[in-house]
Amino acid sequence: MSKSLDRLTLLETFVRIAERGSISAAARDLGLSQASASRQLSDLEDRLGIQLITRTTHSLALTSAGEVCLEKARAQLVSWSLLVETFADEAEVMRGPVRVVAPVALGQKLLSDAAAAFQINFPDVQIDWILEDGDIKFSELGCDLWIKVGPVPDETLIVKPVISVKRIIVASPRLLAKNAQHSPESLARLPFAALAPFEGGHIPLTDRTGSKKAFKPAVSFTTNNIFAAHRSILSGHSVAVMPEWLVHQDLADGNLLNALPDWRAPDLQVNIAYAPANRQTARLKKFVAEITRSLETLI
């Protein structure tokens, strides 16, 4: 093995240890023994003349030098991938890891199917699939792609809007039967399941003519998990704002009703974001195209 390749291997091991927060977990990912991964980390620290990670019995943490090294190591690995792609055919290009952060509902349902379809076509691509609705620190997670519902609060990333998700106010027939008149004012008196960070105690509604009205529900259940909010409304306990695509089948089956068919909650933009350094890798381009096609089926 050449010295250059050896150095890249050390960098790859260090990056994986930093991302996993565990030498043993990184070793499993890389097909190494824990002792080998630990030796590679020590070798890199010796070559650089710095301590990258502080280790205790139960945890490890990056030093300040380690944080700088992590950013530069990722850039080096991306540069190497781009160089390899320059001289490789498509079969060779489509290999390696893609680390993705996706929203919980879309990532668990629609987009996981898209990821599986991608891997059927490109089985040598390893996908690290992280589900998270909240904000993340992209660089610290070492992501290649962030699929985000709502704004992306990171000015260092390239952000491309893909679709707008339509949202409606839904409830079970049993709960609505207790409420003869379905209006924003009457529904505001019913228990409401709020999905953080998108809903709270004040939701602007728009009707078919463009008129606006403030919906101020009685929030009785708050969660950061959309499936928990979904279960709450299916149980008949509460009203909630839901993405139309997620409750489409519930509406068709009569398990839920559109509580305010003349009104809509604000649409939510679905964005894809990635770092400028990663934008040219062929496997990321192909994966983004697959994800984009899948999202566009919701329109």
Side-chain angles (χ1 to χ4, degrees):
M1 184 179 292
S2 71
K3 288 185 178 180
S4 295
L5 183 58
D6 206 34
R7 290 167 188 156
L8 287 169
T9 300
L10 297 182
L11 290 177
E12 183 180 15
T13 300
F14 164 63
V15 168
R16 188 60 62 93
I17 290 170
E19 290 175 351
R20 296 284 272 152
S22 163
I23 293 176
S24 59
R28 286 193 298 273
D29 290 351
L30 296 168
L32 302 172
S33 68
Q34 183 172 342
S36 294
S38 184
R39 280 196 300 272
Q40 288 188 20
L41 174 60
S42 297
D43 189 1
L44 182 62
E45 289 178 323
D46 289 344
R47 293 191 188 201
L48 296 176
I50 54 174
Q51 184 177 6
L52 299 172
I53 289 176
T54 56
R55 283 156 275 191
T56 67
T57 305
H58 302 294
S59 64
L60 57 80
L62 290 175
T63 63
S64 57
E67 291 176 353
V68 173
C69 184
L70 179 60
E71 181 179 354
K72 293 186 179 297
R74 284 173 175 153
Q76 288 287 331
L77 293 172
V78 169
S79 295
W80 175 252
S81 293
L82 290 171
L83 181 60
V84 169
E85 289 177 3
T86 302
F87 303 103
D89 60 27
E90 183 170 301
E92 288 298 317
V93 165
M94 295 304 161
R95 62 174 65 246
V98 175
R99 196 169 209 206
V100 184
V101 175
V104 173
L106 282 170
Q108 189 167 324
K109 288 181 170 284
L110 179 78
L111 297 183
S112 61
D113 291 339
F118 182 85
Q119 286 192 297
I120 289 172
N121 291 324
F122 306 107
D124 292 327
V125 174
Q126 300 88 43
I127 296 177
D128 189 357
W129 194 249
I130 303 166
L131 299 184
E132 174 60 59
D133 283 328
D135 293 338
I136 62 166
K137 294 185 178 180
F138 189 95
S139 59
E140 289 184 9
L141 280 180
C143 300
D144 293 296
L145 182 67
W146 185 8
I147 307 163
K148 178 74 165 64
V149 178
V152 176
D154 190 333
E155 294 180 354
T156 68
L157 302 178
I158 295 173
V159 179
K160 292 187 175 181
V162 183
I163 61 167
S164 291
V165 173
K166 293 181 171 58
R167 299 188 302 154
I168 57 177
I169 298 178
V170 294
S172 71
R174 182 175 60 181
L175 182 61
L176 291 180
K178 302 174 184 178
N179 187 54
Q181 293 184 341
H182 300 166
S183 66
E185 292 77 13
S186 62
L187 285 180
R189 296 191 291 269
L190 298 177
F192 184 82
L195 178 63
F198 304 120
E199 276 87 49
H202 186 282
I203 302 170
L205 300 180
T206 306
D207 70 6
R208 300 177 191 276
T209 68
S211 298
K212 298 185 181 298
K213 181 174 289 189
F215 178 48
K216 300 178 181 180
V219 177
S220 63
F221 180 72
T222 303
T223 178
N224 66 346
N225 184 280
I226 194 168
F227 291 116
H230 186 225
R231 295 301 302 173
S232 179
I233 53 176
L234 283 174
S235 72
H237 172 263
S238 58
V239 178
V241 175
M242 284 280 118
E244 199 170 52
W245 72 266
L246 182 61
V247 296
H248 173 77
Q249 194 59 50
D250 294 316
L251 295 170
D253 294 341
N255 296 321
L256 293 177
L257 296 176
N258 186 341
L260 292 175
D262 293 329
W263 297 88
R264 283 189 178 276
D267 292 353
L268 287 179
Q269 186 77 47
V270 179
N271 299 294
I272 55 174
Y274 41 84
N278 291 1
R279 65 182 174 181
Q280 295 179 5
T281 57
R283 64 181 179 273
L284 182 58
K285 282 182 179 179
K286 289 272 190 182
F287 188 76
V288 166
E290 185 74 36
I291 290 298
T292 300
R293 281 193 297 270
S294 185
L295 286 170
E296 287 174 346
T297 65
L298 298 179
I299 298 175

